[in-house]
């Protein structure tokens, strides 16, 4: 069996297993759209705000919930799966077959990223249809910011898996990391609405920068290179840490 054939077989098998986990799919695909729908029911969120230059709060939350899908996939859902495979010795046993453990890792990352992309389309559709939120005004910039944010989230999930000693510890650590990252992404307070000093700090952290880049692209402009650079730098650091610390057994 060639390496490419083996990798394809692993991807197909992991896809079947992935589709059998409705709760995981809900947190990635369904939860961000549901959250956006709930927020959109708040009357003040649909009313133009003078402090937002005549914009609406719900317009700010579409990029935020798009980024939330990436965070849920990378930090909440992916780490327990990888940790479970490692704890049960699946990765170690795979090392004796033509299928390398890296193929399984790559398949899981690809599947979680694909699910997050589906969530992105759903969130954008809900925002457009239900609340008349404009479609992203600069699609290439939006896609680039989305890819960098996804890389950061998935790499952070791999780091969580790497440093946690067991499956239970992975779940706990993932939950501990999740809520601060949601705050940085602007789930509770959009980054644009944060006080100046706080926003200045958040913009140099991975999801704060990604949130700002997505918001700017949504408004029709190319994302600020500083925000893209910060997100890319964090993604590179997290990927390097995951590669350095990840244990196959």
């Amino acid at each position: 069996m060639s390496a490419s054939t083996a990798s394809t077989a692993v991807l197909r098998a992991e896809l079947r297993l992935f589709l059998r986990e409705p709760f995981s799919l809900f947190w990635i695909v369904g939860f961000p759209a549901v959250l956006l729908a709930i927020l959109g029911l708040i009357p003040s969120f649909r009313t133009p705000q003078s402090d937002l230059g005549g914009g609406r709060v719900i317009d700010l939350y579409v990029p935020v919930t798009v980024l939330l899908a990436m965070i849920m996939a990378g930090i909440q859902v992916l780490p327990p799966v990888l940790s479970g495979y490692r704890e049960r010795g699946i990765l170690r046993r795979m090392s004796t077959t033509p299928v390398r453990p890296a193929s399984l890792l790559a398949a899981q990352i690809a599947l979680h990223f694909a699910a997050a992309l589906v969530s992105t389309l759903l969130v954008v559709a809900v925002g457009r249809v239900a609340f008349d939120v404009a479609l992203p005004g600069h699609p290439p910039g939006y896609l680039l910011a989305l890819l960098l944010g996804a890389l950061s989230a998935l790499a952070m999930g791999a780091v969580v898996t790497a440093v946690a000693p067991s499956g239970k510890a992975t779940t706990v650590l993932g939950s501990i990391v999740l809520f601060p990252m949601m705050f940085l992404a602007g789930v509770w307070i959009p980054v644009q609405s944060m006080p100046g000093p706080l926003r200045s700090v958040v913009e140099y952290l991975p999801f704060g920068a990604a949130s700002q880049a997505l918001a700017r692209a949504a408004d029709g402009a190319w994302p600020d290179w500083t925000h893209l650079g910060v997100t890319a730098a964090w993604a590179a650091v997290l990927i390097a840490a995951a590669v350095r610390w990840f244990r196959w057994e």
Side-chain angles (χ1 to χ4, degrees):
M1 181 185 293
S2 67
S4 60
T5 302
S7 297
T8 301
V10 170
L11 181 60
R12 289 175 178 171
E14 290 302 308
L15 176 59
R16 288 195 295 270
L17 293 174
F18 187 65
L19 294 176
R20 294 174 185 172
E21 296 293 336
F23 290 109
S24 296
L25 286 173
F26 168 76
W27 284 115
I28 302 174
V29 178
F31 176 68
V34 170
L35 177 62
L36 181 67
I38 293 173
L39 294 174
L41 295 177
I42 302 174
S44 61
F45 278 29
R46 304 191 306 272
T47 304
Q49 305 289 326
S50 58
D51 57 342
L52 296 177
R56 303 177 304 167
V57 175
I58 193 63
D59 297 320
L60 300 180
Y61 266 105
V62 170
V64 170
T65 48
V66 163
L67 186 56
L68 177 62
M70 302 297 168
I71 294 173
M72 296 300 297
I75 299 176
Q76 182 73 9
V77 180
L78 178 63
V81 175
L82 296 180
S83 183
Y85 281 155
R86 184 179 62 199
E87 201 167 42
R88 296 195 300 271
I90 293 174
L91 299 181
R92 176 176 51 80
R93 291 196 296 272
M94 286 180 67
S95 64
T96 64
T97 71
V99 182
R100 293 305 178 196
S103 299
L104 180 60
L105 179 60
Q108 282 294 326
I109 289 175
L111 290 173
H112 283 79
F113 178 64
L117 284 181
V118 172
S119 178
T120 296
L121 295 174
L122 182 59
V123 165
V124 170
V126 169
R128 180 60 181 167
V129 174
F131 307 114
D132 198 30
V133 177
L135 296 175
H138 199 300
Y142 200 87
L143 180 59
L144 178 58
L146 188 66
L147 289 172
L148 292 175
L151 277 176
S152 295
L154 293 167
M156 187 173 291
V159 171
V160 168
T161 307
V163 301
S166 66
K168 290 183 178 180
T170 300
T171 301
V172 172
L173 182 58
S175 297
I176 292 173
V177 172
L178 174 66
F179 290 101
M181 296 306 106
M182 290 172 65
F183 173 78
L184 295 179
V187 173
W188 286 283
I189 306 174
V191 178
Q192 297 91 325
S193 300
M194 291 180 179
L198 177 61
R199 184 171 66 249
S200 298
V201 173
V202 168
E203 287 179 340
Y204 284 92
L205 296 172
F207 302 120
S211 181
Q212 288 287 69
L214 282 170
R216 185 171 172 83
D219 289 339
W222 180 258
D224 190 290
W225 284 107
T226 300
H227 297 144
L228 292 176
V230 168
T231 309
W234 274 103
V237 169
L238 291 167
I239 289 171
V243 171
R244 174 67 178 82
W245 295 332
F246 196 85
R247 296 171 289 110
W248 296 110
E249 56 180 299

